[in-house]
Structures are given as structure tokens and as C-alpha cells.
Amino acid sequence: MSLLNNLRCVTVDVTGTLMAYKGQLGDYYCMAAKAAGHPCPDYKRVHEGFKLAYKDMAKKYPCFGYAAKMPNIVWWKTCVRDSFVRAGYEYDEETFEKIFRRIYASFGSSAPYTVFPDSQPFLRWLRGKGITVGIVSNAEYRYQDVILPALGINEGSEWDFGVFSGLEGVEKPNPKIYEIALERAGNIAPQEALHIGDSMRKDYEPAKSIGMHALLLDRFKTPDAVEWRKAGAVVLPDLLAVQQWLTSEKSAC
């Protein structure tokens, strides 16, 4: 008997699992700066500045400012401004507003993302088997309301419920986000659920810690996958391989 026969719910991570970023962060910052009449900022400096700014904001105002009741656009405006400052670029308020609005709009659309070709078929296959599908992501509300639908990953046809950190006030790797998912799925038992993601720390370990099944995707052949396998994780290259694994007797082991 395969694991599929025992499952009532499958939860799925978004970035790196269902979709990936297109191009570089600098592409979008460059386009925004040029549109405001300014030269393209240095890609590497902007990328490093963003990483530091994002880490700082996530620490000060986790879950996109949920507890502080900070509006999403204010959270991102603070982060983007700090990214530029750390990269060595400071603009007057009017110029920055133009640049920021363009960046915010870009990342609130489907433009910077690409869906893996196996994502939609896999989610529909699961739902066709009568399995409840949930999205579990450290993401803000626009993923649920705008970005995923724009990419053809829709509530009602590809997934049944979503648990997004910016809407819940809890984020991975906190196991509570997976407990919320089980509740949303109809208070099902952890052993009747599987989580699929691409991070040992944020996806695999917290899901397993509450008794769920879990597996990891290695779409980009990361060196970390060697350690994941040594730690006992099932690691597969894509969702087509997951589908085959779920229907095999190996998955029941």
C-alpha cells in the first residue's frame, strides 16, 4: 500500500517548490530607478543591501509587521528604502516614492515569478484524488490574493486553503503554522498529512516535529541535499517524481 492511501491532506511550500524568481532583484530595482530618471544601481550592492535590510525588518517586525499592525506597503517601503541606503543610494522623497511604487507593483504581480511546469498538474492531481491541498508559506497577503492567482495557481482549482505568515502572525520554522494548517484542513491527524517544501529547517523539521509526513524537493541540485538524505529525509527532484513516489509502495515504508 502507498502513502497516498493514508493521506487526507498535502501542504505545499511556495517559493522553490511551486515557483521561482525570474531574473535578479537588481533587474527590478534598475527598471524602477531608470523609470524615475536615475541610473541603474549596482546589482551586487543592491542585492547585498536588500538581504541585510530584509533580515533586519523580519527581526524587528516579523510576519510583515503583523503584531505591530504595520500596513504591508509600509513594511516594504521601509525595507526597500533601507536596501538602497545600505547599497549607497539615497533619493529625495519624491524620487524614492516613484521608484518604490514601481518596485512594489512589480513584486505584487506575476512579472518576477515563474511557475514550474509540474506545479499546476500536481496540485490538480492531488485534489482529483480527494486530497485537501493547502499552501503554507512565509509570505504576505498578495501571494494569496494576487500573485498565485495571476500565475494560474488558484484557490478552488489548485488549492483548498492557505496559511500565509503575513496573515496569521506566525511563520516557519514555528511548528504552529503547520498546526494551523491541520486545523484548516478539518482538524485532521498529523499522520494523515504530508508537507512538501525545499528547506530542512523551515519545512521538513517543523512538519515532522508535530507528526506529519514530510519530504523535500531539490529542484536546483543544492549541495545541502546530501546532508538532507543523510538525516533521513526523502529528497526528490520535482513534483512529477513526488507523484510517482506517492503512488509507489516505497512511500509506505
Side-chain angles (χ1 to χ4, degrees):
M1 185 183 287
S2 67
L3 175 60
L4 190 68
N5 296 108
N6 298 321
L7 292 178
R8 292 175 59 198
C9 173
V10 172
T11 58
V12 189
D13 168 55
V14 176
T15 308
T17 302
L18 296 178
M19 70 180 199
Y21 289 108
K22 247 190 319 200
Q24 298 181 58
L25 181 78
D27 293 332
Y28 303 97
Y29 279 52
C30 178
M31 285 188 287
K34 280 185 169 181
H38 285 261
C40 191
D42 182 83
Y43 274 41
K44 187 177 180 183
R45 279 160 53 195
V46 163
H47 182 71
E48 291 302 315
F50 175 78
K51 280 202 301 188
L52 293 169
Y54 186 92
K55 187 177 180 181
D56 191 49
M57 283 298 289
K59 188 176 180 181
K60 286 180 182 172
Y61 303 102
C63 302
F64 304 95
Y66 180 90
K69 294 183 169 56
M70 181 182 285
N72 190 65
I73 193 167
V74 173
W75 195 97
W76 279 113
K77 184 180 279 192
T78 309
C79 184
V80 170
R81 189 193 302 274
D82 192 29
S83 301
F84 276 118
V85 170
R86 288 172 186 262
Y89 300 94
E90 292 196 51
Y91 304 102
D92 62 71
E93 195 57 39
E94 185 181 350
T95 301
F96 174 72
E97 187 66 29
K98 287 178 186 174
I99 293 172
F100 169 71
R101 288 283 174 179
R102 194 175 182 94
I103 291 170
Y104 189 73
S106 292
F107 283 95
S109 72
S110 61
Y113 314 101
T114 181
V115 175
F116 296 112
D118 56 4
S119 296
Q120 190 186 70
F122 177 72
L123 298 175
R124 289 187 173 187
W125 174 76
L126 285 174
R127 295 186 79 247
K129 294 286 184 185
I131 292 172
T132 300
V133 175
I135 303 289
V136 178
S137 177
N138 283 354
E140 36 112 335
Y141 80 92
R142 292 184 298 171
Y143 270 58
Q144 174 179 270
D145 297 350
V146 183
I147 296 167
L148 287 175
L151 292 167
I153 306 294
N154 293 285
E155 186 173 3
S157 56
E158 281 74 41
W159 50 283
D160 299 287
F161 68 89
V163 185
F164 298 89
S165 63
L167 294 171
E168 307 295 339
V170 60
E171 62 190 6
K172 299 187 283 186
N174 188 335
K176 190 174 188 323
I177 200 166
Y178 295 98
E179 291 170 353
I180 293 169
L182 295 178
E183 288 171 17
R184 294 269 159 87
N187 291 308
I188 68 164
Q191 60 269 27
E192 296 177 309
L194 164 72
H195 179 67
I196 302 168
D198 69 333
S199 167
M200 174 64 88
R201 187 178 73 87
K202 293 181 180 178
D203 294 302
Y204 187 86
E205 289 175 345
K208 291 286 278 187
S209 77
I210 67 163
M212 292 174 69
H213 299 278
L215 64 83
L216 291 167
L217 284 196
D218 178 28
R219 290 192 183 271
F220 304 107
K221 295 182 170 54
T222 171
D224 293 341
V226 175
E227 296 304 317
W228 297 348
R229 289 187 177 95
K230 283 182 184 175
V234 171
V235 183
L236 297 169
D238 52 41
L239 292 172
L240 185 59
V242 174
Q243 186 172 328
Q244 292 167 347
W245 181 80
L246 281 173
T247 52
S248 73
E249 291 188 8
K250 288 181 185 176
S251 64
C253 298

